Amino acid sequence: MRVLHICSSLARDIGGPARSVQGLVAGLSTTGVDVWLLALKPLGGPWIEGVNKFHCANKPNWIGVYQYVRQMLSEIAPDIIHFHGIWMLNIHAAVMAARAAGIPYVMTPRGSLEPWSLEQGKWKKRIARWLYQDKDLRDALALHATAESEAEQFRRLGFVNHVIVSPNGVNKPSVFNRVEHSDQRKVLFVS
């Protein structure tokens, strides 16, 4: 099976998705899955070991992203695409390319449909939902929720797709493998 994962960016400062998507790709590659990763913004490449097949769409607008993704789909010929994130026009352009190529896809909203998130930039998100976002989600083969509560929110919003509930796998950073002896206390915050 050949799987293409698509995310907006791998920049280290965007938070968990940049790390967890790479961890997922690296983990799948050890199981024999032919797995690819495509980042839609040129904000850094893979920085987790095991991401061996990577591309970056360095395109200035969503039309360029659409054309680039169509080209990548014909070259890679994935059996399925896994999109990580919603709302961004570059992700929507890539979804349109997947639909045009007839390739099924899974979408992971990553908490972006939770009530608190929908309140952030509420009017922009309402317009986006009306214009494209709900269609992109409805047309997905499945929606990936990282918790049961997120899956329940999908249903409250009216999505009837198959829902996969699976938490993001997170590898322990190598910094925890070292033992440091110090009188200085440290605090670790994991969000």
Side-chain angles (χ1 to χ4, degrees):
M1 172 173 263
R2 184 169 290 167
V3 180
L4 173 62
H5 288 266
I6 299 179
C7 63
S8 183
S9 171
L10 294 180
R12 290 177 186 252
D13 62 350
I14 67 164
R19 178 177 293 281
S20 62
V21 170
Q22 290 179 79
L24 177 60
V25 168
L28 282 174
S29 68
T30 66
T31 67
V33 174
D34 186 11
V35 61
W36 294 75
L37 176 58
L38 171 61
L40 299 176
K41 291 182 183 173
L43 300 174
W47 38 274
I48 290 183
E49 189 175 323
V51 179
N52 303 318
K53 297 177 180 178
F54 171 75
H55 287 276
C56 182
N58 186 10
K59 302 299 173 189
N61 56 46
W62 69 270
I63 295 170
V65 169
Y66 174 84
Q67 294 167 338
Y68 182 86
V69 172
R70 282 298 304 261
Q71 177 186 341
M72 292 307 305
L73 296 180
S74 66
E75 291 175 18
I76 296 171
D79 297 305
I80 192 163
I81 301 170
H82 190 155
F83 290 99
H84 299 271
I86 61 173
W87 304 122
M88 295 152 286
L89 281 176
N90 60 4
I91 292 286
H92 171 60
V95 169
M96 288 180 10
R99 267 200 301 263
I103 300 171
Y105 62 91
V106 173
M107 291 200 80
T108 303
R110 298 184 164 273
S112 293
L113 294 174
E114 292 300 306
W116 64 268
S117 180
L118 291 173
E119 287 298 313
Q120 309 301 312
K122 176 172 34 178
W123 293 107
K124 287 181 183 178
K125 288 180 180 175
R126 284 184 180 180
I127 292 167
R129 285 189 68 193
W130 182 76
L131 288 174
Y132 65 89
Q133 194 60 78
D134 280 10
K135 178 172 178 38
D136 291 353
L137 291 162
R138 276 193 312 272
D139 288 352
L141 180 65
L143 300 177
H144 170 214
T146 57
E148 285 291 339
S149 60
E150 187 177 20
E152 292 166 8
Q153 177 65 2
F154 296 163
R155 297 293 179 238
R156 281 192 292 276
L157 292 172
F159 298 106
V160 296
N161 315 52
H162 177 71
V163 176
I164 301 162
V165 179
S166 177
N168 286 325
V170 179
N171 296 332
K172 177 180 71 166
S174 61
V175 69
F176 293 117
N177 293 334
R178 294 181 292 157
V179 177
E180 292 182 18
H181 298 286
S182 171
D183 291 335
Q184 188 178 29
R185 293 185 152 229
K186 295 180 182 168
V187 175
L188 172 67
F189 173 72
V190 179
S191 65

